[in-house]
Amino acid sequence: MLNDGLFISPAMRISELAGRKMLISWLVRWSMCPEDRLGYDPTMCRVIGQSDVDVNGSDNDDPVDDIRYMVDCYDDKTKKKIKYVTKRTIMPADTLLGRHTRCFVATRYSGSGTGSSGEEVAIKDVWLPATDPSFECQRNETKLLRKIHDTFEQDSPDHIYPKLIVGGHVRLNQKNRSMINTTDAIFNAAGVDRIDPASDSDTDSAWNQQLLRAHRRIVTSPVGHSIKTVQNEAELIIVLAEAMQCYSSILSKCGILHRDISTNNILVVRDGENKIPRGLLIDFDFAIKVDTHERSARPEISGTMPFMSIANILNLDTPRTALDDWESLLYVVCWLATVGISSSDRVADAKLTEKFIKYWRTGTTKMIADAKRTHMHSSVNFQSIIVKEFCEQYKLLPRFAIALHKTLFGNDKCSGAIPGLDDSSDDDSSDGDSGDKPTDGPNDPLVKRGAHVDEIVANLEKVLDKFKCKAQAALKA
């Protein structure tokens, strides 16, 4: 078990006496087992008897359920605990493995009964891979959000950003002492030592060989809503532009590289019903602190597959820079323009399998990277394969995508996406497989462009400003 694992009991045949005896034995043990050994989280309790649940929210963003919780949120910096009451669940933990991320909209507990008041906040509850001690993890979203908060509190930006209110590890009381809720804490409660999968132990098949994860909880504002709540392509461009303005500001002023630009990590914030929406960049789970001058990170795979840059997918031996995230933005634009930007425009999954963009999420990592290399290599490829399949009602998005593509992959010093081919050549292939084309090498344009990051990013920001102005004009027309 090199990652997470599930523990499964032996098969129980209820039709047989031995099977029924085993089942009853398990039920009795569960009923008498201490709560901490069951994995019970006393810092989060369901609120019973609520009739004022906000089922529909304040927009078209559907909540996952109407169950409310009382949640204790501990701040690692102030060492204080603040209690919140959730109003709705906006992201469930629908898998038993992985980070088990849950997100809620909540308000602060009023101090009596189950009442709450004040501004709405977002609570993120997540189990992230950790080191021991977990405070020293290089990837610590709480620390990065605190850095962003402290920087922008002194120098207020024009854009909105995720403001950290409370952030830290979930803490439990075990044997009369407070301790961080980690995989080790769960094993300790069971009287067993966890074995690190990365160790050189000969016990590869040991049931207690598990990844170390730490339970963290952060509270931020403002509360955003799914990007699918934009009403038209002009609003989408404005939201994306503002989110990337926030991205650039965080990188330049805080030295933080986001590394996971995706449809889930850019939210829509509206101050009023008829106000122009704003874009909010969230989820710094994969973000990393980088040198503010070099502004690059060592090669490491991170992100969401359909939107990952080619260099990221292949883990090319070249530093990750802002261009990888800008490339992800281009894929976000293409994806939404193809599948539809709102619920009314949404293309059915069955129909999506007929489109070439499907190659961005199916197959091996090499197949996905090769497909993207082919699609991105030239303007002819990009327009005839990808843009051609955009929803026909969109007029501004195709021009926006073409401009982003030209700036990212059309720089005369590092044009194209396929190494070993003449940079000016146009590959007219229209399938998702680049066949026998080389996928890496010393003349890889994706490696060469690392020497021109500042120039390309500056041009990308100009493209963004230009189309944001066009979108704003379209909304006013």
Side-chain angles (χ1 to χ4, degrees), residues 127-184:
W127 284 82
L128 287 172
T131 58
D132 189 15
S134 60
F135 285 106
E136 297 179 2
C137 288
Q138 183 183 25
R139 278 170 42 193
N140 188 323
E141 185 177 19
T142 303
K143 288 184 178 179
L144 297 179
L145 288 175
R146 186 162 282 124
K147 169 67 175 176
I148 294 170
H149 177 273
D150 293 345
T151 300
F152 290 152
E153 281 294 295
Q154 299 176 14
D155 183 12
S156 181
D158 295 332
H159 55 78
I160 58 175
Y161 62 94
K163 298 181 180 179
L164 181 68
I165 300 172
V166 180
H169 293 80
V170 175
R171 303 188 73 90
L172 304 177
N173 288 318
Q174 286 189 353
K175 299 178 180 179
N176 297 321
R177 66 188 184 94
S178 177
M179 62 188 305
I180 297 173
N181 193 17
T182 65
T183 317
D184 279 342

Side-chain angles (χ1 to χ4, degrees), residues 2-31:
L2 297 181
N3 291 295
D4 306 293
L6 297 176
F7 304 132
I8 303 173
S9 70
M12 293 177 280
R13 295 183 179 275
I14 307 301
S15 60
E16 299 177 359
L17 178 60
R20 292 193 294 273
K21 183 178 179 180
M22 184 181 294
L23 175 60
I24 293 172
S25 174
W26 275 110
L27 293 174
V28 170
R29 291 176 182 177
W30 284 333
S31 65

Side-chain angles (χ1 to χ4, degrees), residues 356 374-375 378-389 402 426-430:
F356 289 110
T374 299
H375 299 162
S378 68
S379 60
V380 170
N381 282 20
F382 181 65
Q383 294 184 47
S384 63
I385 300 174
I386 300 301
V387 178
K388 182 181 179 181
E389 296 188 330
I402 290 170
D426 284 335
D427 182 351
D428 295 328
S429 63
S430 58

Side-chain angles (χ1 to χ4, degrees), residues 119-122 160-163 220-224 267 269 271 280 282:
E119 70 166 337
E120 287 189 345
V121 297
I160 58 175
Y161 62 94
K163 298 181 180 179
T220 60
S221 71
V223 173
L267 300 183
V269 176
D271 295 330
L280 177 66
I282 63 164

